[in-house]
Amino acid sequence: MSHQPVIDGFEFASAGATQAGRLPVREFPRLRDLLASDAGEVEYEVCGLLDERGRPGLRLAVRGTLELRCRRCLEPVAAKIDEDELLVLASTQEEIDAEPADAELPDRVLASKAMALRDLVEDQIILALPYAPRHEACAAGAAPQDEGKVLPFAGLKGLMRGRN
Ligand SMILES: [Zn+2]
């Protein structure tokens, strides 16, 4: 049942191809540890394009609702994911490393002839997850400040962009 969609990165981008589908949350191995439940699916859509500098890229949109664990009461809390990111393809890791770290620049991703969309979608979800998930009106009430327990990867992008 588990299909694993892959794309040829540069070819997909230069052809302006589009692919959309759904992936079950339970098929994201790195994400599962961060979740209260691995039920449900996420929708994705990936479009190949050339960016304003003529570089091949992918625009990846991911939507879904994930069940995280509230940092205050430890009960499940729904986190809506609705991300739309430009990923500019690179042919080597050196090319990515040579770029200055700048949150304003589009993310770079290493292209290959068989890029697993599941991995791209999973990366995007992990970067989009809230740093400290909690209910807006939590039964545990006002809690002390975060005790410094940091979920691996979660909220990295939010920190970089100062969204949290
Ligand atoms: Zn709560």
Side-chain angles (χ1 to χ4, degrees):
M1 272 296 285
S2 169
H3 75 152
Q4 171 64 286
V6 297
I7 59 170
D8 179 331
F10 285 123
E11 190 180 296
F12 195 91
S14 56
T18 297
Q19 189 171 322
R22 292 166 170 273
L23 291 166
V25 174
R26 66 174 180 280
E27 287 188 10
F28 297 113
R30 289 172 291 148
L31 191 56
R32 284 168 70 165
D33 289 347
L34 305 175
L35 301 177
S37 156
D38 65 5
E41 303 184 309
V42 295
E43 285 178 52
Y44 69 86
E45 182 177 40
V46 58
C47 304
L49 50 77
L50 299 179
D51 79 352
E52 74 279 5
R53 288 165 55 186
R55 301 176 299 181
L58 305 172
R59 180 164 285 286
L60 177 62
V62 180
R63 284 181 199 85
T65 301
L66 302 175
E67 292 246 305
L68 301 178
R69 213 167 271 291
C70 173
R71 287 279 292 275
R72 288 179 179 166
C73 69
L74 303 180
E75 293 296 319
V77 58
K80 198 158 172 275
I81 302 291
D82 187 354
E83 293 290 310
D84 191 339
E85 293 282 345
L86 173 64
L87 305 170
V88 176
L89 298 176
S91 45
T92 63
Q93 184 61 42
E94 289 69 37
E95 191 182 333
I96 296 175
D97 294 342
E99 265 206 9
D102 183 343
E104 297 302 314
L105 292 175
D107 289 334
R108 303 298 303 270
V109 63
L110 195 56
S112 74
K113 288 203 167 295
M115 300 176 75
L117 290 179
R118 188 185 69 183
D119 291 340
L120 294 177
V121 169
E122 186 173 33
D123 285 342
Q124 186 151 332
I125 294 171
I126 288 172
L127 289 170
L129 288 179
Y131 167 67
R134 61 188 58 173
H135 296 107
E136 267 181 47
C138 182
Q145 292 301 304
D146 300 326
E147 282 108 39
K149 262 174 62 185
V150 177
L151 295 172
F153 311 116
L156 275 181
K157 181 165 283 187
L159 282 178
M160 286 196 300
R161 297 195 178 161
R163 276 201 313 225
N164 286 333

